[in-house]
Amino acid sequence: IAAERSRADAGGGSLLEQLARALDYRRWHRFRVERWQGGKWGRLSGPASSGERALGLTVPLFAAVSSHYSQGGHDGYAGAPRLVLLDEAFAGIDREARAHCMALIREFDLDFVMTSESEWGCYAELPGVSICHLLRREGIDAVHVSRWAWDGRTRREEPDPGRRFPLEPSI
């Protein structure tokens, strides 16, 4: 604050700009993600499997997103999605750890859209998931979409909810 006051005396911007610089915690505070391993806290960047590093980044991401949505302005939209987009987020993470991540998504009350080559999101930790499986073949300029649902126990194929081009009645 003292540095910003002296900058203001030298013509360093408006009061709003001064306050924004003085209160921007990123200039004077650093966040570090650590993990508990071998009975002590250590840096995430230390020796770890790719799955451990992925989890070390994914879990704080979920907490940050949940915190963001819990702040003013978002709670007024009851039923609105609390959306997080995940692109191959769980690559390199074993199935048990992915299940824990899914439990965190539910615990943080988040909605998600996930892309993956092989992940379906079917875990007992989630009470329900709607799935669109996209299939493409080399040399064919089209994508087949099949719809699936997970009810917490079983994955089942769903009928197309509404054809874009309804079948013409036979004459």
Side-chain angles (χ1 to χ4, degrees), residues 7-116:
R7 185 181 302 186
D9 293 340
S14 71
L15 177 60
L16 180 61
E17 292 167 337
Q18 294 167 34
L19 285 172
R21 280 192 305 268
L23 300 175
D24 184 356
Y25 67 87
R26 295 170 296 180
R27 298 171 60 97
W28 46 267
H29 189 77
R30 298 271 183 243
F31 290 95
R32 182 173 42 216
V33 178
E34 294 184 340
R35 64 189 167 115
W36 181 260
Q37 185 176 31
K40 62 182 179 179
W41 287 102
R43 299 190 87 165
L44 180 64
S45 60
S49 70
S50 60
E52 288 174 319
R53 283 194 296 273
L55 279 174
L57 297 173
T58 303
V59 172
L61 168 73
F62 294 159
V65 169
S66 180
S67 174
H68 171 75
Y69 283 126
S70 297
Q71 293 179 6
H74 296 288
D75 291 335
Y77 301 104
R82 295 165 43 97
L83 194 58
V84 62
L85 305 175
L86 305 169
D87 182 25
E88 294 290 346
F90 304 127
I93 299 176
D94 64 49
R95 183 161 176 79
E96 184 178 338
R98 289 193 312 261
H100 289 300
C101 285
M102 293 298 182
L104 281 174
I105 288 174
R106 183 173 182 201
E107 181 71 26
F108 285 132
D109 192 27
L110 297 173
D111 300 298
F112 67 97
V113 173
M114 177 172 53
T115 63
S116 176

Side-chain angles (χ1 to χ4, degrees), residues 113-164:
V113 173
M114 177 172 53
T115 63
S116 176
E117 186 175 319
S118 58
E119 177 62 58
W120 286 73
C122 300
Y123 296 89
E125 290 76 5
L126 295 175
V129 176
S130 292
I131 304 162
C132 287
H133 183 241
L134 308 178
L135 183 62
R136 177 184 160 290
R137 301 234 174 165
E138 195 65 39
I140 299 176
D141 292 336
V143 176
H144 173 73
V145 180
S146 60
R147 294 172 184 2
W148 298 77
W150 169 255
D151 64 8
R153 293 181 317 265
T154 307
R155 181 179 71 197
R156 67 183 182 291
E157 191 166 8
E158 295 283 302
D160 191 341
R163 295 181 55 90
R164 182 168 178 197

